[in-house]
Amino acid sequence: MRELLITRPDDWHVHLRDGAILADTCADMARYFGRMVVMPNLDPPVTTVSAAAAYRQRIVAAMENLPRQVEPLMTLYLTERTSSAEIERAADSGLVHAVKLYPAGATTHSAAGVREIRAVYPVLETMQKLGLPLLIHGEVTSSDIDIFDREKVFIDRHLEPLVAAFPELKVVLEHISTAEAAAFISAQAPHVGATITAHHLLYNRNHLLAGGIRPHYYCLPVLKRDTHQQAVIQAATSGDPRFFLGTDSAPHATADKQSACGCAGCYTAHAAIELYAEAFERAHALDRLEAFAAFHGADFYGLPRNRGQLTLRRDSWTVPERLALGDSELTPLCSGEQLAWNVT
Ligand code: DOR
Ligand code: ZN
């Protein structure tokens, strides 16, 4: 196949950051996506509807001069102080589409996150009633749990009880990285889903650690062993509508990644669909890419599917070594490597 025409996809999980960086991250998103679910882990985090509205305006302003725009779907950052009144305002706002739960300390800018998940149960009750989805970074943070087991343990200790306590709550387990997560989601009702990144489809922990530490492959949840990668590929390419595209593209300056204590996050927005195409082609499932990228997420969120289209050509190109990131620079995933597909 030399050319692939798909319905314009959406990104159901992205980090755009703020300030001067927005122009760069938004320009990359606008090349591919109709809509994007914008993560709220700014510093300070986006905990109120008014903060989300102001952030949305900055994002829209950053896209003003682009040939096409992406619709930002905003999220609130859940804390133990989030009130049910704020959730009601969010549901009424028309601009907040979900609420994100970060266990405190799990990842970048998660310090203000949730320490005791049961403390937010009253707020989840309101979300369930109002149909507002809960997006979860599904990793425990206790230092006694091995980092490669943190997703599995989160599912056992927190997600299973949560889903049982709120049988009608829309839940998205974000950026799944394990066979256990894929199996858990497959066994749930249609309103419990998961996003999958391109990096968790393309790589496993050997890419991160064999032959030298490669900080640009470091993300959270951390890449797991090959058997988990295979299970995540199987989920993404299965056609099951509970699995959909979420890049988790997360920009960090090159110097912050190539450091003694490097930041977690892979930047994939520069080649978002090309990277997924690579993964789906390797799995002989290019015919399933469109539904994963453009249908399943929209259907899950209860939003109309996009009407425009996107063309991919089999026309290899070399990913740049570095990209601008405001007044700094970042190293994108696959920097200097060839990708087979090109979005025109
Ligand atoms: O790798 C990651 N980077 N995982 C996350 O959960 C957060 C993200 C970021 O914001 O940098
Ligand atoms: Zn993320």
Side-chain angles (χ1 to χ4, degrees):
M1 198 189 300
R2 301 221 52 87
E3 199 170 279
L4 184 62
L5 191 68
I6 63 169
T7 301
R8 186 168 290 285
D10 300 301
D11 186 351
W12 300 98
H13 182 135
V14 67
H15 300 268
L16 301 175
R17 313 295 192 217
D18 207 350
I21 296 174
L22 273 181
D24 297 316
T25 52
C26 289
D28 279 340
M29 297 307 287
R31 291 179 36 232
Y32 303 104
F33 297 109
R35 292 162 292 199
M36 52 185 173
V37 171
V38 180
M39 288 299 121
N41 62 333
L42 302 182
D43 187 16
V46 181
T47 54
T48 63
V49 177
S50 66
Y55 185 28
R56 188 180 192 282
Q57 275 181 6
R58 297 194 294 278
I59 294 165
V60 169
M63 291 190 287
E64 221 165 47
N65 297 320
L66 296 177
R68 61 173 308 281
Q69 276 77 37
V70 194
E71 187 187 349
L73 308 179
M74 308 309 291
T75 60
L76 286 194
Y77 185 114
L78 185 61
T79 77
E80 289 179 23
R81 292 203 304 251
T82 302
S83 65
S84 281
E86 197 64 43
I87 296 298
E88 279 165 18
R89 274 192 287 280
D92 285 345
S93 69
L95 62 99
V96 173
H97 290 262
V99 176
K100 179 76 185 276
L101 188 167
Y102 289 101
T107 187
T108 308
H109 298 154
S110 62
V114 174
R115 255 156 250 286
E116 174 52 65
I117 292 187
R118 293 202 183 246
V120 299
Y121 269 27
V123 162
L124 301 189
E125 194 75 54
T126 309
M127 287 171 59
Q128 174 171 253
K129 193 176 79 199
L130 300 174
L132 197 60
L134 175 70
L135 317 184
I136 302 180
H137 183 110
E139 289 191 287
V140 294
T141 54
S142 13
S143 55
D144 60 319
I145 305 295
D146 188 278
I147 187 162
F148 292 101
D149 296 334
R150 288 181 179 188
E151 185 173 272
K152 177 198 174 334
V153 174
F154 183 91
I155 292 168
D156 295 344
R157 284 191 193 167
H158 303 295
L159 189 55
E160 263 205 72
L162 189 155
V163 166
F166 300 99
E168 309 283 316
L169 180 64
K170 273 193 184 183
V171 175
V172 183
L173 183 58
E174 300 289 333
H175 39 55
I176 59 166
S177 65
T178 57
E180 289 85 359
F184 178 83
I185 297 299
S186 301
Q188 303 305 309
H191 60 272
V192 178
T195 55
I196 297 180
T197 76
H199 42 287
H200 289 101
L201 293 173
L202 289 168
Y203 304 115
N204 59 57
R205 65 194 193 184
N206 275 4
H207 296 93
L208 173 68
L209 294 169
I213 294 180
R214 294 182 176 75
H216 299 293
Y217 292 81
Y218 176 59
C219 62
L220 288 170
V222 73
L223 297 170
K224 307 298 191 297
R225 64 164 64 239
D226 164 76
T227 47
H228 292 290
Q229 181 194 359
Q230 296 311 319
V232 175
I233 292 171
Q234 161 59 30
T237 59
S238 65
D240 182 332
R242 268 93 45 84
F243 298 104
F244 43 89
L245 186 155
T247 62
D248 198 21
S249 181
H252 291 276
T254 298
D256 294 334
K257 299 236 357 128
Q258 294 176 193
S259 117
C261 185
C263 295
C266 298
Y267 191 74
T268 53
H270 63 296
I273 294 299
E274 290 91 339
L275 290 166
Y276 281 104
E278 193 90 24
F280 274 66
E281 182 167 54
R282 281 186 207 170
H284 308 289
L286 268 178
D287 58 324
R288 298 251 163 107
L289 178 63
E290 181 181 43
F292 172 81
F295 299 162
H296 296 171
D299 297 353
F300 184 94
Y301 275 81
L303 295 169
R305 295 176 179 180
N306 291 321
R307 280 212 286 263
Q309 287 181 317
L310 193 73
T311 306
L312 288 106
R313 294 223 161 77
R314 222 171 182 299
D315 182 12
S316 80
W317 58 291
T318 306
V319 177
E321 297 276 352
R322 297 277 194 275
L323 294 172
L325 182 67
D327 44 21
S328 182
E329 56 164 37
L330 65 76
T331 305
L333 199 73
C334 284
S335 72
E337 289 175 42
Q338 295 261 318
L339 289 177
W341 289 91
N342 198 346
V343 168
T344 53

